[in-house]
Amino acid sequence: MDIAHAFFLQDDGAPFNLEYAWRLLKDEPKWKGAYIETSSKRTKISTSGGAYSSSPNPKTPSSYEFNSTFPMERSMGQKAAKRKAKAKVNASATETSSKAVHDLMDKRVAAMEKLAHLKEEENTLKKEEMEFKAMQVIMSDTSTMNESQRQVHEKYCNKLKEKYGF
């Protein structure tokens, strides 16, 4: 423990004063190194004999080794893991939703163009129908009309001719 305190003082330049917390947390799985494996499986001790051991693998490095070349890293906490998972889901959802929005916008633009084309056709047909009716009025039989009706009819026909260019 004294050697560990000396290493800490040398690395950080301050004495290690959280030993009480270290003693509480040292055996927790979250604070153990990621490369440390503990196993309760039985392992074979000798190649020729049938002897087995239920102890962990003796070749596994200890977390108490200070000369280790691997830095001690703790595993990800519960909240950080949830944030990371949500970020992945949100990123894929955003990409999916943006594609869906673009597809919907393209469909809407196509529908609006089709609607505008249909309106133009409808207006053209109405205009042709009005011209046809005007032509019927102009070509109507005036032999049965009296003089005042003919004058009104003639004025109306002149207006229609100006409007439609007959």
Side-chain angles (χ1 to χ4, degrees), residues 92-108:
S92 64
T94 303
E95 290 175 12
T96 304
S97 64
S98 66
K99 285 182 181 179
V101 167
H102 287 298
D103 290 344
L104 287 174
M105 291 299 286
D106 290 343
K107 287 180 182 179
R108 184 171 183 193

Side-chain angles (χ1 to χ4, degrees), residues 11 27 36 53 59 64 74 103 107-108 116 123 136 148 151-152 160:
D11 289 346
D27 295 325
I36 297 174
S53 170
K59 293 179 183 176
Y64 306 111
R74 61 184 183 146
D103 290 344
K107 287 180 182 179
R108 184 171 183 193
N123 288 340
Q136 282 180 335
S148 65
Q151 286 176 350
V152 171
L160 289 175

Side-chain angles (χ1 to χ4, degrees), residues 21-60:
W22 178 81
R23 289 188 191 279
L24 288 173
L25 299 173
K26 70 178 181 175
D27 295 325
E28 295 294 321
K30 180 177 180 178
W31 304 106
K32 288 190 176 192
Y35 59 90
I36 297 174
E37 294 180 21
T38 57
S39 175
S40 63
K41 293 183 180 178
R42 295 182 339 166
T43 56
K44 199 170 196 179
I45 295 175
S46 66
T47 57
S48 62
Y52 289 93
S53 170
S54 62
S55 65
N57 191 354
K59 293 179 183 176
T60 304

Side-chain angles (χ1 to χ4, degrees), residues 14 17 25 28-29 49 52 59-60 69-70 73 79 120 140 165:
N17 55 6
L25 299 173
E28 295 294 321
Y52 289 93
K59 293 179 183 176
T60 304
T69 58
F70 299 108
E73 291 185 21
K79 289 182 181 178
E120 286 177 16
S140 65

Side-chain angles (χ1 to χ4, degrees), residues 134 137-138 151-166:
V137 169
I138 292 171
Q151 286 176 350
V152 171
H153 177 71
E154 190 132 342
K155 285 181 183 177
Y156 186 62
C157 286
N158 288 336
K159 286 183 181 180
L160 289 175
K161 286 177 184 178
E162 286 176 22
K163 184 175 181 181
Y164 293 109
F166 295 134

Side-chain angles (χ1 to χ4, degrees), residues 6-23:
F7 278 129
F8 188 84
L9 182 63
Q10 181 182 359
D11 289 346
D12 286 359
F16 183 72
N17 55 6
L18 298 172
E19 189 171 340
Y20 65 94
W22 178 81
R23 289 188 191 279

